[in-house]
Amino acid sequence: MSRFLSRATAWRLLTATAATAFLITSASTVLRAGQGAGGTTGFGPSVWDGAFTTAQASRGQAAFEKNCSSCHGPSLEGGEGPALSGDRFWADWRESTVDYLLAQISKNMPYDDDGKLAGTLPAPMYADIVSYILSRQGFPAGSTELSAQTAQGVQIIRREGPGDLPAATLVHVVGCLEVSGSNYKLVQATRPTRVTGKVNTEADKAVALGSKEFPLKFVLTPLTRYKGYRMSATGSLVGEGGSDGISIDTIRPVAESCQ
Ligand code: HEC
């Protein structure tokens, strides 16, 4: 009996030590991530913190060469499909997240005419391929492998931190309609968010407005009767962050007044 107790005590001691060791390791991981982040500390997890491992990126390279490089180029420079590196990578994926990139690729690639190949690779292989793409973009490797779980919320941002969404990004905004002649503008508008699925216009009725202003371009239907209404719009940004407005795809009233 006493032998059993002492064993139990020993076990408790052991697990306590293990837990302390774990705490120390994770604290130092956080520190290292912060140091390697080159100024991104404070912005939350990002690609600068090491989102994949070196081994995983080289597995990803092999899988990429087999399944993707015929269309995207052996150096990701593009071909039948778009480039997956350099400026094009930034334009397509900046201010999104690694889980979004992984989900897009897992759902849509490899590409073929009837869409039969889309989504056919094993999930860990897609994660390996994304690791390779991230490594080619110059993001550092870390100590944890990338998976659908670890990719959650990992921001794809410049080293300096988050910025405005790139020009031509498909976005959603809510704001108040201002009309002058045939020119329309959304004022008190929310920060544009990337459209990644169906837009929830029900939520748009209550969302807190912001301080952005966007001239609306290519509006095909007259909106004069919605002057002063709260509007929900989707479209693509003209200029970085929509500095020159939004090229409208859809726009609809969500409330008759705008507070
Ligand atoms: C047979 C040619 C082909 C193959 C193989 C292929 N792709 Fe593509 N890929 C394309 C084309 C074409 C597009 C553009 C499709 C579109 O815009 O609808 C595309 C789009 C993409 C995009 C979106 C790019 C963007 O700018 O939004 C990514 C990312 C991508 N492919 C990654 C991959 C990966 C990773 C693989 C391998 C698992 C792969 N592709 C295999 C042809 C291919």
Side-chain angles (χ1 to χ4, degrees):
M1 182 69 185
S2 74
R3 235 184 111 88
F4 172 71
L5 267 182
S6 71
R7 253 198 217 172
T9 314
W11 171 242
R12 265 202 301 277
L13 271 174
L14 239 169
T15 42
T17 323
T20 318
F22 171 77
L23 276 177
I24 292 169
T25 342
S26 43
S28 68
T29 311
V30 169
L31 256 182
R32 244 183 292 123
Q35 285 160 357
T40 63
T41 318
F43 298 123
S46 81
V47 282
W48 298 102
D49 301 327
F52 56 88
T53 67
T54 313
Q56 189 176 23
S58 38
R59 288 200 308 269
Q61 175 167 15
F64 185 89
E65 281 164 4
K66 190 149 177 266
N67 299 290
C68 322
S69 67
S70 59
C71 297
H72 292 284
S75 304
L76 288 67
E77 73 276 26
E80 188 187 327
L84 303 177
S85 60
D87 291 346
R88 179 69 196 252
F89 177 92
W90 283 125
D92 286 335
W93 307 105
R94 191 163 60 74
E95 314 307 323
S96 73
T97 53
V98 178
D99 57 289
Y100 176 63
L101 171 62
L102 177 58
Q104 288 298 105
I105 292 179
S106 307
K107 190 172 81 181
N108 300 322
M109 293 291 130
Y111 181 91
D112 64 339
D113 286 340
D114 48 13
K116 281 216 176 88
L117 289 175
T120 54
L121 303 180
M125 189 177 280
Y126 282 115
D128 291 352
I129 290 172
V130 167
S131 301
Y132 175 56
I133 295 173
L134 295 177
S135 74
R136 289 299 299 254
Q137 193 64 11
F139 303 125
S143 51
T144 310
E145 290 216 340
L146 181 75
S147 69
Q149 284 73 42
T150 69
Q152 287 297 325
V154 175
Q155 307 164 85
I156 301 175
I157 51 176
R158 293 225 175 89
R159 208 180 258 278
E160 307 84 74
D164 283 333
L165 288 166
T169 305
L170 184 60
V171 297
H172 167 228
V173 293
V174 179
C176 309
L177 186 70
E178 243 184 41
V179 178
S180 83
S182 59
N183 291 322
Y184 306 111
K185 206 189 219 184
L186 284 186
V187 298
Q188 286 175 259
T190 54
R191 266 180 76 95
T193 53
R194 194 180 283 270
V195 173
T196 57
K198 214 169 144 39
V199 170
N200 178 359
T201 42
E202 200 50 43
D204 290 344
K205 288 183 181 154
V207 72
L209 293 171
S211 55
K212 300 260 175 199
E213 278 195 28
F214 301 105
L216 306 183
K217 314 270 184 184
F218 305 107
V219 178
L220 299 179
T221 42
L223 297 174
T224 312
R225 67 195 165 113
Y226 298 123
K227 186 174 173 178
Y229 277 41
R230 176 188 273 244
M231 307 294 280
S232 166
T234 65
S236 44
L237 293 176
V238 185
E240 186 162 322
S243 53
D244 295 322
I246 297 179
S247 169
I248 291 297
D249 283 347
T250 67
I251 181 158
R252 67 181 66 175
V254 289
E256 289 187 15
S257 66
C258 201
Q259 282 114 33

